[in-house]
Amino acid sequence: MSTKRKNQGDVGVAEPKARAKPKLERPRLYKVLLHNDDYTPMEFVVLILKEVFNKSDSDATAIMLHAHTHGMAVAGVYTFEIAETKVQQTMALASKAAFPLLCTMEPEEIAQ
Ligand code: TYC
């Protein structure tokens, strides 16, 4: 077999190689939501926001009051596994204390 390369014309010759640094997709983010109810004490919700969501006392109080008056509030925005863990931790603490506090997560809208 010949060692000479076949003539491939100009196809691809002057083209740059594939990107050296491929662009990474941003990970999808999830909002963790605290839902209002009539029975969970305000102090317990503030405690959850401080302990699970690492909020300051004043941020925790503001988020709790938002849920209390508007029906729900965003406790934080995280990647999937972190959001899932925070939902599980919150629900475990609520059920241990026998409060009906509901915590859920939903994907953030994708920015265009
Ligand atoms: N509404 C509750 C009360 O009056 C307090 C509360 C606030 C409960 C926020 C849940 O996500 C919540 N004791």
Side-chain angles (χ1 to χ4, degrees):
M1 200 173 148
S2 161
T3 54
K4 274 191 185 161
R5 297 183 67 166
K6 279 195 186 138
N7 179 3
Q8 295 182 335
D10 285 340
V11 178
V13 170
E15 295 296 319
K17 290 235 178 91
R19 289 176 74 101
K21 197 176 168 198
K23 217 169 185 184
L24 296 174
E25 299 277 345
R26 284 178 198 280
R28 194 148 196 204
L29 295 176
Y30 293 79
K31 294 187 281 195
V32 176
L33 305 170
L34 285 176
H35 300 255
N36 188 37
D37 66 71
D38 292 339
Y39 304 102
T40 305
M42 290 183 172
E43 298 72 24
F44 183 80
V45 181
V46 170
L47 184 85
I48 291 284
L49 284 159
K50 289 166 75 173
E51 295 298 318
V52 177
F53 297 92
N54 307 313
K55 300 298 181 187
S56 67
D57 198 49
S58 66
D59 283 355
T61 302
I63 293 166
M64 179 280 293
L65 285 173
H66 186 95
H68 178 71
T69 52
H70 296 93
M72 74 170 68
V74 178
V77 177
Y78 309 95
T79 52
F80 184 86
E81 284 177 3
I82 294 178
E84 199 181 37
T85 301
K86 293 197 186 282
V87 169
Q88 285 167 357
Q89 288 173 337
T90 299
M91 295 303 281
L93 290 167
S95 77
K96 197 172 159 199
F99 295 134
L101 180 64
L102 178 62
C103 182
T104 61
M105 60 192 268
E106 66 175 40
E108 258 203 342
E109 311 312 323
I110 299 166
Q112 292 300 337

